[in-house]
Amino acid sequence: TWDDSDWGSWENPDGKEDGAEEEEEQQSAPWLQDCVLSLSPCSDLLVIAREHKATFLSAKWRTEESGQEEMTLTVTWKTQEERGGSSTGRPDWTCVVVGFSSGYVRFYTESGVLLLAQLLHEDPVLQLKCRTYEIPRHPGVTEQHEELSILYPAALVTIDGFSLFQSLRACRNQVARAAAAGSDVIQPPPLAYKKWGLQDMDKITDHSSIGITTLSVFDQMKNASMLGGFHASVKGSPPAMSQYITVGGGPYTGFYYAIEGSSQPLLSHVALAVASKLTSALFSAASGWLGWKSKNEEESVQKQKPKVEPATGLPVRFGLPDSRRHGESICLSPCNTMAGVTDDFGRVTLLDVARGIAIRMWKGYRDAQLGWVQVSEARGERDLATSPSMPRRHAQFLVIYAPRRGILEVWGTQHGPRVGAFTVGKHCRLLYAGHRLMGVNSVTSQGWQIHTQQVCLFDPVNGALRAVTIPFHLALSDKKSERAKDMHLLRRLTTLLRSREVEPALLESEAQSVLLDIKHPAIKKQALESLLSNKNAPVSCLTNVTRALLASLKEQDPEAVDESLLQFCSSQLKLLQLYTDVQLLHTPDISPTEPEHPSFSGIEEDLARVGPVLQRYTEMNSRPCVSFAQDSSGPLPVRTFLSQLEWVNGELRVIKQPDTDWTQLGSFLFWGCLSGQSPLQRVCETLQESGISPQQLLSLLLSGWLNKEKDVLKYPDAVSHLGTLLSTLSSMKGAVDESWDGQSVSPWWQQVRTACVQSESSAAALLAALVAHRVAKNSITRLAESKFQEEWECVSMELEQWVVCIKQLEDVLALQTLLCLPSPQGSTGGAVTRCSVKTLLESGRGGVADYVSKLIFRQGMSPDVLRDILQRRGENEPKLEELLECVCQRFPNSLSPDVLFAHCSWENVVQWNKDPEVGQYLEWSVEFLKMISNPHIQFGVSAMMWQTFIVKRFSAAAFLMEKVCISDVGMGDAAMRSFLGSSVQLLQALMEADSAVEEVSAPDVCVEEVWGGAEGPVSIVELALDQRSVHYPLVQHHCVLASLLHAAMTFSLRLKPLSLFDSKGKNAFFRDLSSIQLLPSGDMDHSLVAVRQEFLMNVLTGWVKVLAESEENGVKHSSTEDMWPSVCMELSSILQVNTDILRRHLVCELYNQGLDLRAEEVMMEVQDKDVLGSQLLVLTGQRLAFSLLHSQSQTKPNMELLARLPPTLCTWLKAMDPSELRCPSVPLSQSSRLINKVIEMLPENHGQYSLALHLLEAVDSLHEEP
């Protein structure tokens, strides 16, 4: 018996006593050699068995106090629930198969519960091996099925994997049910197996099942001729065969081939182990041992032995005869093409499985243990992109553990070198499962990450379990091997650089080691570039690594060193040194010790002059805004510095790319000087010594200055520091051409002007220009003094250029200040519009007005407010008024009222076109248009608006109203009314401007002197002045239609507008207004006139109804509402409708509505009084009939009055219908006034005169009643 008191010490190997450590090592080693060890394919379950006992060790992750995690194997007894179809390639559960000397094979769960037991042969079990499904790597490879093979001394049993998997799963489910509820036993499906009697071999110790193989036609013919002689016949197709290899003695290695179909699979009776109580299979967890059945139990089982089927004889096909050599073990490679065999002579032989020959032999490996590692080649992104369907290459490595020597070796196969050797203990065990997960097939393997077959070394001394991992490149040889190793080192460096938290010292040592180990110059350069472009590497690390690499290159033979790599290292080292020097100069520790430079003469005057505008601009830009962390002004990363500079022919240059931003680099080099924190002269000397040209330094300085405008405006002294820097840079060699005499334009100062005019940072650009102007003026003055020795004011082309540039920049600063006005809440408009001198010059002569009109639109400024501001009257927003006046003073020509109104009109109509539902945009556009005083501009803008934006929607509205549907115009009812009203106003403005054009001469489009060089798109005003004249009657024809449509929409009248015109009129619509069209002339058809008359009368009726409603509600009428009668009268004269009929109709409608006073006003314009009198007499009768007959309060006096009336009058009154009156209950005083008016209008000889007199008496009598 064993002493198991220290068994738990495996779980804590460090818990041994110090004094007894060596003695325990010697004692613990031999017993493990007698144990059977097996490791699961996923290395998560280790089984150790000896004689009648076994222990199962499962993997657990343990976290130490230091925070590091490690995996430990501990004794556990717990039931694991089967997870539903795992897609990660991890096992759902692990089954442990145990073979016994009695011939039984028993299957246990990982918690020690017996699932089933089988007696398939009555000899001791020698070996158990499993073959699992492999995804075929090539189309020609035969798909191998899963199986479990059991070796007996003279027999081999193979159990079909699918059958076994189903049975085990059924048994496991039954165990779970029995444990839960004690349910009835369900017989699982029988196992399908084959049993072969292996013949012609003296002794067998190990075996390997290769799987199904199919011979090639050549091999088939070769075998037939060797076995059957010269005249042997060959079958049509080569048969599929299962191949088995055995090792032992006589012969040393035997090759067996079982032709598929030669033996039918046998079906076994599954002995289910759950029939009895579960307690027989479970045991005490405290003991830590799994015990098998006692002898008595074994005997009782022996009496009920199942029937053992006889074996099918299988002769050996051939072997490797070696009478003195005895094989001990065989280990098959994962690709089923090679096998390693050990023997009692201390040799390891490599077999070619397909050809049946030994291809390699190693000696000196007594008691060797073997394992295989298959490694796949990693595929880069480039490989996947170029050849995604190409299969990956695989390499096979043979792992040999020689316990006598305590060494673990890795060999490349078939004839590869030894690629690794490790000194390990002499009592270790090499654990290699040789299979993967079971239960996988070609369908379920899709998307699975099948766990790699691992080779592990178990060291019983310290309890460590180590896995063997081999990089693919070790399988390659010669130059490829060297390059592959370099690529592996490069990948290692890349992985290191990707990890976020790496100690700088570790990063430096690792990177230096990798770079020095890489052999190929191209890969070495690539590795160095990867390191230099890493954002986490500190500059000291980069400098040291680059310096070490450069030193190693210089030590080598000059002819063997790659010149480009040497230059690259040298240039990068210089750049890193420059970065370090500049960074040191900018550190706060170094305070500037230089004397203050005197300020330039005249700069204070310039600053005082532009001070107010600068102050306003600063206020407008001081509003809070969103900023991002990566935009913060941190130190320039060294990788950015290196990516923007390069050495070309011994000169340091800034890399010019279209999308490169030099701001960060310029700020890094010069901001310390500009803010007064760094020694200015020393920085300039360092940069000059570095070899950067003065021109590029100037570009970097200006880039840093112009893009840090907010910071520049915070530092008052920044201007003087900029002057000192510009003066220092211009005095460098190669800055200003020595032949420059001041009379020509200097390329040096032109570079400054170009940068300023292109910048959208208006304030910074103006300050830079003012400073540069003073520096340039001083240098010109010094030049003049040195040449002429006299004091006189030098006038040169250079200074003239500066004057123009500064004036332009001042103008742009004022404009930009205006554009920075925040938009009112809720209005449209996004970020602040930025402009520069360059963009203004490129936007043409209307650029300034375009910017301002867009701002006015964003501010939601109405036409009246803008007119008041320009005329300097009214109380408006002071800030807006002040800024707008300032800009208008600077641009008197570009922003003259007519030009500004024209642009505002155009901007509003453009915005309306984007969103037609907002009718106010179009209304304001027409109002701005009407404010233009010059008829030429007004005419041109209105003609362009009609042609570009209005006519298309207008024609759509007309045609759709013809179909009594206006939904397709894309506007609602309110927007449509506004649109049609604005169209009428636009056409009227066009006609008025067309009439006035002849009286006024066309204006000249001029701009300010400094902006005379503007080139770009033609301005709105210039386009307006180029418009052709229009055909006035055609415009009027459209205006009539627009008025009719507007009236129909306003009063919701049913109208087919085109039906009011004859064929000539219809054809003339929606043509170009400048074309001459055939328009209607002469007398119209009476039926057409009647339709027109009816429509206009309906318009007047609608207007009266609206008027009455607004008066009832106490709403004041607008002038636009009161225009409808006059509109109708104007239309009637054009449409050949009798105007007097319309006026009479209007009078009657007003009386009908009870609006007597308004009716009397219109009555004065009526020509035919007789007809009107007759019409009003009926209306009076209706009012009196309502009072006497239909009123709710019919009083006695009213009845008496009715009785006294003449019979004719009484009959006439009863025939009246007061329901036609919309307002029947009118005061009697109004009716009395009305009848008097009627009597005045009717002549005495009129037929109804006497009736009118009777009516007057009746009304007076009623009026006199109390």
Side-chain angles (χ1 to χ4, degrees), residues 224-233:
S225 64
M226 289 179 69
L227 294 172
F230 183 76
H231 300 287
S233 61

Side-chain angles (χ1 to χ4, degrees), residues 138-184:
H138 305 286
V141 177
T142 309
E143 190 171 86
Q144 300 295 338
H145 297 289
E146 298 178 327
E147 71 172 19
L148 174 67
S149 58
I150 307 163
L151 180 68
Y152 298 91
L156 178 67
V157 173
T158 60
I159 302 176
D160 177 61
F162 180 75
S163 167
L164 177 64
F165 183 70
Q166 297 298 329
S167 297
L168 289 175
R169 190 160 61 177
C171 293
R172 187 168 178 272
N173 292 340
Q174 183 61 35
V175 166
R177 288 196 198 96
S183 61
D184 295 336

Side-chain angles (χ1 to χ4, degrees), residues 465-517:
L465 188 69
R466 296 186 177 89
V468 179
T469 307
I470 308 169
F472 178 82
H473 71 81
L474 294 177
L476 303 174
S477 60
D478 305 327
K479 291 183 178 179
K480 284 187 178 178
S481 173
E482 193 174 274
R483 182 175 180 80
K485 184 181 178 185
D486 286 353
M487 293 304 295
H488 174 69
L489 290 168
L490 177 61
R491 276 196 291 271
R492 197 172 99 193
L493 177 63
T494 307
T495 307
L496 180 70
L497 294 175
R498 280 182 187 155
S499 54
R500 295 185 178 180
E501 298 175 0
V502 184
E503 292 292 329
L506 175 66
L507 176 64
E508 183 178 328
S509 63
E510 282 287 322
Q512 186 168 321
S513 166
V514 168
L515 278 164
L516 293 177
D517 286 348

